[in-house]
Amino acid sequence: MSKDIRIKKGLNINLVGAAEHTLSKAVLSNVYAIDLHDFHGITPKMLVKQGAEVKAGEALFYNKNNEQMLFVSPVSGELVEINRGARRRILTLKILADKEQASLEHSKLNFKEASATEIKEYLLKGGCWPFIKQRPYDIIANPDLNPKAIFVSAYATAPLAADIDFALQGKEAELQAALTALGKLTPGKVHVSVGTKNSIMSGLEGITLHRVSGPHPAGLVGTQINKIDPINKGETVWTVSPQDLVIIGELLLTGKFNAERVVALAGSSVKAPKYYKTKIGTEIATFLYASGVSEENSRVINGDVLTGSKSRQDGYLGYYNNTVTAIPEGDDYEFFGWNKPVFNKVSNTRALTFSWLMPKKKYDLDTNTNGEHRAFVVTGQYEEVFPLDIYPMQLLKACMVKDLDEMEQLGLYEVAPEDFSLTEFICISKQPHQQIIREGLDLLLQEIG
Amino acid sequence: MSDKRMTFKKRLHIIKHHYRDKKMAPAFNALHTFLYTPNETTHNGSHVRAADDLKRTMNTVIMALIPILLFSMFNAGYQHFSAINGFPENFSVMEHFLTWDNFWIGIIKVLPLVVVSYGVGLLIEFIFAVIKGHEVEEGYLVTGMLVPLIVPVDTPLWMLAVAVVFGVVIGKEVFGGTGMNILNPALTIRAFLFFAYPTWMSGDKVWVHDAVNLAGTPDAISGETVLGYLAQNNTADMAAKYDVADMFFGFIPGSVGETSAFLILLGGLFLIFSKIASWRIMVSAVLGSLVMGFFFNQVVEWGWIGETSKFYGLMSFEFWKHLIVGGLAFGIVYMATDPVTGAQTTRGKWIYGFLIGFISVMIRVFNPAYPEGVFLAILLMNVFAPTIDHYVIRGNVNRRMKRLKNAVIHPKDSEGKTAELQPETV
């Protein structure tokens, strides 16, 4: 039996260029890259040197603060480049893939019988631990903590995000294995939220199933946590995304780290948006050009348009992403753009903007900010799209002035930057909400831990 | 045509680069972004953004004010000529109101107020932007339009200029500019005028053009507002002097733009529809004023005060009519809803608005020197808005604290590691 969560506040942004439900195999990439920015707050220590040969699933580096936490290579090949930035900080690692792929094989774990400690060690060693995120702080989970519950959102509501059910087809066994194992790591429940009853995740055992409906951000795991079992001070919950569960499940079932991923290529700049089967860290170009890019001047985003990170056209697929979006850049001036009636952009107000008249229309938005950065002026608009029981503007202001007490009391423990993506979208003052929240979380982690 | 525009656009772009990081950059950017929305793109976070910005928001408020400004320009002349020649019998809007003569008074009296308000205000904004090196922000676009609408028609321009300087510097810029101010800048300007030059801002002569000049001469004309009239306990011939339709549509003396409750209502509905202003504040302020007005009516009804009381005139004024005379409606729609100085939480907005309406009518009745209370009430509530929000937000914080108290603490084993518990399943 499932429990229903209905979200009323929010905003669905309909964009042109949703990925068609056809799956193609992407061309094999020559070089695979791991971007260290994907692992927020991790200080990497290299285990292999430049030029070393690694197998798929072999550890490249570990977390300096927790030496057990290994980060593994998605493919077998030669580590050809360690790209460093200021103060020798590692930015990216590049691996030249072998033609014949070889995987590191771990001894199989009888996860149904294994203890929590054994499962943890297995996941850490197998390189699957980074897939488990924790809240508060929205970082890779600390394996020493005892989460009160684990949350999985199998319902994507973000604009142009990959349809999770389509991407997970035929992966029931892996999902079940991962959830069974992860269930042992918490004394609480494993909450899985789905959009429809016949979702692939509905039939799994050992979980608490929830059905969510409503506009974005209904599918964000943060919204679901807030509605199901909000985080209190001192508590931890873990979150895993379904596509990462597949990799965890495969490790548990076969003993191999398989970085395979089904990625939705979407966006109005893509001629034939559809799904591709590829691997973590692959060159985006390997499937981007196969679908055709209609515009030279377009923004390629690793992830969805609200939370993804900017990438180059010759960039690489992020460690956690299952969506790549390409939309036109909006780096042009618009004559009297601030007072003309607007028909081709989305707005939640009706100030000569007419998207409220056409809720079904699909829009072709570009990356223009449609205005300049200002102080917070207008009130009450974030609340319309923010379903959490939190005062968004007050929390943002607390983060900006670094008032730790206020940040704590107003609920910073419960949120991740992505929860503020929609308020950032509608922000009239064009404030960088996600960045403010990220900095607030980092400060809180550093000061309070 | 399009070629020409392209070159203009390009030329502006080149000048922008030229001025980048120079002192005058904010001034140039303000003009540039007025003509063209900037080419700024997102970098991280949300890669797409909604269509509105602060300029569009402010512009929407100005659009809601334009009909009121036009009406007030005709009304300035209408009140002037009617006071001299007597009120027309069989009043017809086309014949007596929308005339070139009336409009001409508006041009020579109201338009200069608008020009001085914007000119002086924007000059100060530009100066501060250049000194402090930030962009010129849009807050003054609305303030500049509000100011001429809330002063008497004969306000000397130098007085207005001094007040605008005071209001913008002390009311806004010292707090850090748009978005940071505590008091509504337009009302700060109004309050400065009221306390610095009271003879020009209140009484029975200032509300009609030339009434002050002609005072004491054989041609003297009266320029009283409805409220001033009532404050002097002239209740007997009220009905004959002003009928409800005149008060509602605005053919009465008063501050430049506050007289037409009808147009203010339309503007308010437009702002509510466009989601720019808070309907909660407007509705609760109307409720607050009705409650207070009704209570005063009851005081008269119960016989607590008699006709000799100096409060009798205003207390016996039907409670709902408070909304169509004086500045109450204008204040509720355009001043109370200022998002920066008003309450910011949903529940706070209800309390804030209600108290504004309530206190406005209270000041109106009890203040014999100045029978209008809405600007003082809003300024007072501006000061209390953060307190109201504070207590509303405490409610949310307390809910979180309570949840923490009731939270189940999961057991840990001796090493502080995960306990080997089976998850509960459904």
Side-chain angles (χ1 to χ4, degrees):
Chain A
M1 207 192 85
S2 67
K3 295 170 193 162
D4 284 3
I5 306 166
R6 285 186 62 84
I7 303 294
K8 288 193 191 121
K9 294 169 165 186
L11 179 69
N12 275 332
I13 306 167
N14 296 321
L15 296 183
V16 180
E20 213 180 294
H21 280 196
T22 48
L23 185 61
S24 305
K25 229 174 147 118
V27 182
L28 284 180
S29 192
N30 291 326
V31 177
Y32 290 76
I34 291 175
D35 187 346
L36 274 291
H37 291 108
D38 286 345
F39 312 112
H40 186 83
I42 297 291
T43 315
K45 280 277 169 195
M46 292 304 294
L47 286 167
V48 288
K49 288 209 169 90
Q50 190 163 334
E53 290 284 337
V54 289
K55 285 182 179 169
E58 199 176 321
L60 295 169
F61 59 94
Y62 64 92
N63 179 6
K64 191 184 168 194
N65 300 324
N66 189 328
E67 297 187 6
Q68 280 185 300
M69 198 190 290
L70 303 179
F71 296 77
V72 299
S73 170
V75 289
S76 70
E78 183 193 346
L79 180 65
V80 285
E81 190 181 325
I82 302 177
N83 189 4
R84 290 175 188 269
R87 287 191 281 168
R88 291 189 52 75
R89 188 185 150 166
I90 302 169
L91 300 179
T92 47
L93 305 175
K94 285 187 186 165
I95 298 142
L96 184 67
D98 295 336
K99 289 272 178 301
E100 291 290 319
Q101 287 289 311
S103 294
L104 188 71
E105 292 199 33
H106 297 275
S107 57
K108 273 192 211 165
L109 177 77
N110 183 359
F111 60 89
K112 282 182 190 152
E113 309 290 326
S115 72
T117 325
E118 283 168 327
I119 288 172
K120 262 185 203 176
E121 274 169 12
Y122 193 73
L123 293 179
L124 285 162
K125 203 172 68 184
C128 276
W129 195 264
F131 292 129
I132 305 170
K133 295 278 200 84
Q134 77 163 54
R135 294 199 187 192
Y137 309 125
D138 191 38
I139 49 174
I140 293 172
N142 178 352
D144 298 334
L145 289 178
N146 193 16
K148 75 164 177 172
I150 293 175
F151 286 84
V152 178
S153 170
Y155 180 42
T157 50
L160 301 181
D163 178 347
I164 292 175
D165 282 322
F166 180 76
L168 295 185
Q169 274 172 346
K171 299 288 183 189
E172 287 90 344
E174 284 87 350
L175 291 168
Q176 183 64 64
L179 288 170
T180 307
L182 289 177
K184 298 193 174 190
L185 304 184
T186 171
K189 296 176 179 176
V190 178
H191 299 278
V192 175
S193 310
V194 295
T196 55
K197 261 195 189 126
N198 40 18
S199 161
I200 191 163
M201 306 282 275
S202 311
L204 303 180
E205 287 168 10
I207 58 168
T208 310
L209 195 68
H210 304 272
R211 239 181 75 206
V212 270
S213 56
H216 188 60
L220 287 185
V221 71
T223 311
Q224 296 157 7
I225 297 172
N226 190 269
K227 299 293 167 201
I228 296 167
D229 188 5
I231 306 163
N232 302 299
K233 187 181 176 179
E235 291 176 340
T236 313
V237 305
W238 288 351
T239 67
V240 194
S241 67
Q243 91 256 354
D244 296 338
L245 283 175
V246 172
I247 299 178
I248 295 175
E250 195 155 351
L251 178 77
L252 290 164
L253 291 173
T254 65
K256 285 182 196 165
F257 182 91
N258 182 2
E260 199 171 82
R261 181 149 293 176
V262 172
V263 176
L265 176 64
S268 61
S269 289
V270 181
K271 275 187 190 146
K274 56 179 177 175
Y275 289 79
Y276 286 93
K277 190 176 260 183
T278 183
K279 278 186 179 170
I280 290 172
T282 179
E283 288 172 84
I284 288 173
T286 53
F287 53 91
L288 186 65
Y289 294 118
S291 272
V293 184
S294 54
E295 214 179 322
E296 191 59 22
N297 186 23
S298 52
R299 164 88 47 100
V300 178
I301 300 160
N302 231 325
D304 65 67
V305 288
L306 291 182
T307 58
S309 60
K310 195 173 168 179
S311 168
R312 294 203 316 252
Q313 292 201 2
D314 57 353
Y316 299 86
L317 180 68
Y319 214 79
Y320 295 100
N321 297 125
N322 67 344
T323 308
V324 170
T325 323
I327 55 171
E329 285 281 5
D331 53 351
D332 196 12
Y333 301 94
E334 196 183 349
F335 187 64
F336 273 132
W338 56 280
N339 60 6
K340 277 193 304 201
V342 174
F343 295 94
N344 59 350
K345 287 172 186 169
V346 181
S347 167
N348 70 321
T349 71
R350 303 187 185 115
L352 284 197
T353 51
F354 296 93
S355 61
W356 58 274
L357 268 177
M358 304 164 271
K360 291 265 185 299
K361 183 183 164 181
K362 292 192 166 159
Y363 291 87
D364 181 3
L365 298 184
D366 59 33
T367 63
N368 195 289
T369 52
N370 299 319
E372 291 172 297
H373 183 268
R374 291 288 182 265
F376 285 112
V377 171
V378 175
T379 60
Q381 301 203 318
Y382 307 142
E383 287 79 354
E384 275 184 37
V385 298
F386 195 75
L388 278 59
D389 182 23
I390 281 173
Y391 283 102
M393 188 159 114
Q394 283 73 15
L395 181 57
L396 286 166
K397 285 185 174 175
C399 289
M400 287 166 89
V401 300
K402 301 186 164 61
D403 183 339
L404 290 170
D405 276 350
E406 283 285 302
M407 284 150 74
E408 240 182 59
Q409 291 176 356
L410 290 173
L412 191 62
Y413 289 127
E414 300 174 43
V415 298
E418 63 172 15
D419 294 321
F420 281 78
S421 57
L422 211 48
T423 61
E424 181 170 274
F425 171 77
I426 66 154
C427 185
I428 279 167
S429 299
K430 312 295 172 190
Q431 292 269 0
H433 295 205
Q434 296 189 67
Q435 190 189 325
I436 295 169
I437 293 294
R438 181 72 264 171
E439 284 165 11
L441 288 169
D442 289 346
L443 181 74
L444 203 63
L445 176 61
Q446 182 193 334
E447 298 289 327
I448 293 171
Chain B
M1 170 69 200
S2 71
D3 257 336
K4 211 172 177 185
R5 184 182 289 172
M6 278 302 289
T7 52
F8 182 56
K9 186 163 128 181
K10 263 191 191 146
R11 197 176 304 159
L12 280 174
H13 186 68
I14 292 163
I15 303 175
K16 182 183 177 178
H17 267 276
H18 181 71
Y19 274 112
R20 179 166 287 169
D21 300 327
K22 298 217 171 115
K23 214 168 169 79
M24 291 306 285
F28 173 76
N29 285 349
L31 295 172
H32 191 190
T33 57
F34 178 80
L35 289 172
Y36 289 95
T37 42
N39 64 343
E40 255 174 65
T41 55
T42 52
H43 297 292
N44 47 25
S46 295
H47 294 267
V48 290
R49 295 297 179 96
D52 347 57
D53 66 341
L54 200 53
K55 277 195 179 70
R56 178 170 289 275
T57 306
M58 296 292 172
N59 188 39
T60 308
V61 184
I62 294 174
M63 286 196 307
L65 285 165
I66 294 291
I68 295 172
L69 180 74
L70 289 176
F71 177 89
S72 71
M73 288 168 78
F74 284 104
N75 196 41
Y78 173 69
Q79 293 304 327
H80 172 69
F81 290 119
S82 304
I84 291 173
N85 304 327
F87 283 85
E89 282 178 32
N90 303 324
F91 170 79
S92 127
V93 172
M94 291 312 290
E95 268 178 53
H96 300 114
F97 192 75
L98 295 176
T99 64
W100 175 248
D101 284 344
N102 286 351
F103 192 59
W104 181 245
I105 303 276
I107 300 255
I108 59 168
K109 295 309 295 180
V110 177
L111 217 50
L113 294 175
V114 178
V115 171
V116 167
S117 162
Y118 269 118
V120 175
L122 286 177
L123 182 70
I124 297 171
E125 293 267 334
F126 272 73
I127 292 172
F128 267 88
V130 168
I131 292 174
K132 292 165 77 182
H134 64 63
E135 295 296 319
V136 178
E137 302 193 334
E138 289 79 10
Y140 196 76
L141 291 181
V142 169
T143 309
M145 186 59 113
L146 289 173
V147 168
L149 295 179
I150 55 173
V151 294
V153 65
D154 270 348
T155 307
L157 296 176
W158 67 266
M159 251 179 223
L160 188 71
V162 172
V164 167
V165 173
F166 175 86
V168 175
V169 175
I170 301 296
K172 190 161 84 178
E173 291 301 339
V174 293
F175 293 108
T178 302
M180 314 286 183
N181 45 314
I182 292 165
L183 300 174
N184 183 314
L187 288 176
T188 312
I189 292 168
R190 185 69 180 81
F192 178 84
L193 284 170
F194 177 66
F195 291 111
Y197 312 106
T199 54
W200 280 93
M201 294 298 135
S202 58
D204 57 0
K205 289 281 175 269
V206 300
W207 309 104
V208 171
H209 167 52
D210 256 1
V212 178
N213 278 344
L214 297 176
T217 68
D219 295 328
I221 53 174
S222 158
E224 263 175 326
T225 62
V226 176
L227 290 172
Y229 196 64
L230 285 169
Q232 289 161 30
N233 266 356
N234 297 317
T235 48
D237 55 348
M238 249 307 280
K241 201 160 178 211
Y242 305 101
D243 71 11
V244 172
D246 280 353
M247 296 195 260
F248 179 66
F249 287 105
F251 308 116
I252 51 172
S255 290
V256 172
E258 69 175 27
T259 59
S260 178
F262 171 67
L263 289 178
I264 294 167
L265 178 69
L266 288 187
L269 289 176
F270 174 64
L271 289 181
I272 289 173
F273 174 76
S274 60
K275 296 202 206 173
I276 295 299
S278 164
W279 61 271
R280 293 183 179 91
I281 292 179
M282 292 193 212
V283 169
S284 62
V286 167
L287 282 177
S289 64
L290 291 178
V291 167
M292 186 83 260
F294 186 73
F295 174 75
F296 284 137
N297 283 178
Q298 292 309 107
V299 166
V300 174
E301 192 101 319
W302 295 327
W304 289 3
I305 64 160
E307 291 192 21
T308 49
S309 161
K310 62 178 178 181
F311 301 128
Y312 181 76
L314 281 160
M315 276 202 189
S316 59
F317 192 47
E318 285 100 317
F319 65 97
W320 55 272
K321 285 189 185 166
H322 278 290
L323 284 166
I324 56 174
V325 297
L328 185 58
F330 192 86
I332 287 175
V333 171
Y334 293 103
M335 312 286 197
T337 53
D338 174 359
V340 175
T341 57
Q344 306 190 339
T345 54
T346 303
R347 197 170 298 166
K349 280 174 178 163
W350 284 107
I351 302 167
Y352 170 82
F354 187 86
L355 287 175
I356 283 178
F358 194 82
I359 295 171
S360 293
V361 174
M362 193 193 296
I363 298 176
R364 191 175 260 197
V365 170
F366 286 138
N367 183 358
Y370 184 70
E372 179 51 288
V374 69
F375 93 88
L376 291 170
I378 294 173
L379 285 175
L380 179 71
M381 291 316 296
N382 280 172
V383 174
F384 282 107
T387 314
I388 296 172
D389 280 336
H390 174 81
Y391 283 103
V392 172
I393 292 165
R394 277 312 104 178
N396 179 280
V397 171
N398 289 340
R399 199 154 59 238
R400 198 163 283 118
M401 300 307 259
K402 207 171 145 195
R403 205 173 71 196
L404 174 62
K405 239 178 260 170
N406 298 336
V408 185
I409 306 298
H410 294 301
K412 289 185 179 185
D413 65 15
S414 53
E415 293 162 46
K417 289 194 177 163
T418 318
E420 306 274 342
L421 288 176
Q422 282 303 307
E424 291 174 56
T425 51
V426 176

